[in-house]
Each structure stands twice: as C-alpha cells, then as structure tokens.
Amino acid sequence: MIKKNGKSALARVLRVDVLLTIIGALLGWGISHIYYLKALNDLKADADERRRVEELFLRGIESVGNIKYSRDDSGKVMGVVIELRGSASGRATATGDLTVGRPDSSQ
C-alpha cells in the first residue's frame, strides 16, 4: 500500500509540475508579447518621426531654391527635378554699300 500511495503522490506532484510549467510558459509568453507590442509601437513612432524630419529637411532644401522634387499625389518625394536656366544676349552690326543699277551687271 505504501507503494500505491507513493505512486499516487508522485503522479499528483507531476501533474502539478506540468500544470505550473504550462502556466509559467503562458505567463512568460504574455509578458514577452506585451513588450513586443510596445517595442513595435516605439519602432513605428520612430519611423514616423524620421519620415517627418526627412520631409522637413527636403522642404527646407527646396525652399532655398537649389533643388526641386517631383512628388506623387500623396506628396511623397519620387525624384529630383533638374531645372536648367540660361540667358543669352547678342549684338549685331551690319554695313553695306548702296549702288544704283542692276546687281547682275558688271560695272
């Protein structure tokens, strides 16, 4: 009878150990998941802030007039527009001789 009680006590202890292991694993997963979600939200906030700063930086460069950007419908920068400007001026003078007669006649 002692062996039977010993086995049943051992079985009870093993069941409690298995149950506590499962509860501990679930609790650990829950805590890890909470920190994972917090880190994910922090990462998204950092990425949004980085995009905002980049946009301000690009708008600052563009406002100086050195460069222009092509944008899509949402305002996202898609490329750089290169604008070339130039100016030219000229002056001409002409001189000539006025002759009376037909140009094809030899005089």
Side-chain angles (χ1 to χ4, degrees):
M1 289 265 203
I2 296 173
K3 288 184 180 181
K4 187 175 181 182
N5 286 338
K7 284 184 181 181
S8 87
L10 180 63
R12 203 173 323 127
V13 168
L14 286 177
R15 279 191 299 242
V16 169
D17 285 347
V18 169
L19 181 65
L20 289 176
T21 301
I22 291 171
I23 290 171
L26 290 174
L27 187 63
W29 178 84
I31 291 170
S32 297
H33 190 68
I34 288 169
Y35 279 104
Y36 165 77
L37 291 176
K38 183 182 180 313
L40 185 63
N41 288 336
D42 289 346
L43 185 63
K44 285 180 182 178
D46 287 345
D48 290 342
E49 179 67 14
R50 182 186 51 81
R51 279 190 214 105
R52 188 183 71 79
V53 168
E54 284 176 357
E55 182 66 26
L56 288 173
F57 183 73
L58 292 174
R59 287 185 188 271
I61 291 173
E62 191 174 28
S63 70
V64 171
N66 294 335
I67 199 166
K68 282 196 170 192
Y69 300 103
S70 63
R71 300 178 185 275
D72 63 3
D73 294 336
S74 67
K76 181 180 173 187
V77 174
M78 300 301 291
V80 177
V81 176
I82 298 173
E83 291 184 356
L84 300 175
R85 292 189 180 120
S87 64
S89 63
R91 177 177 266 188
T93 59
T95 60
D97 294 327
L98 181 60
T99 59
V100 178
R102 295 188 349 208
D104 57 343
S105 66
S106 56
Q107 292 183 10

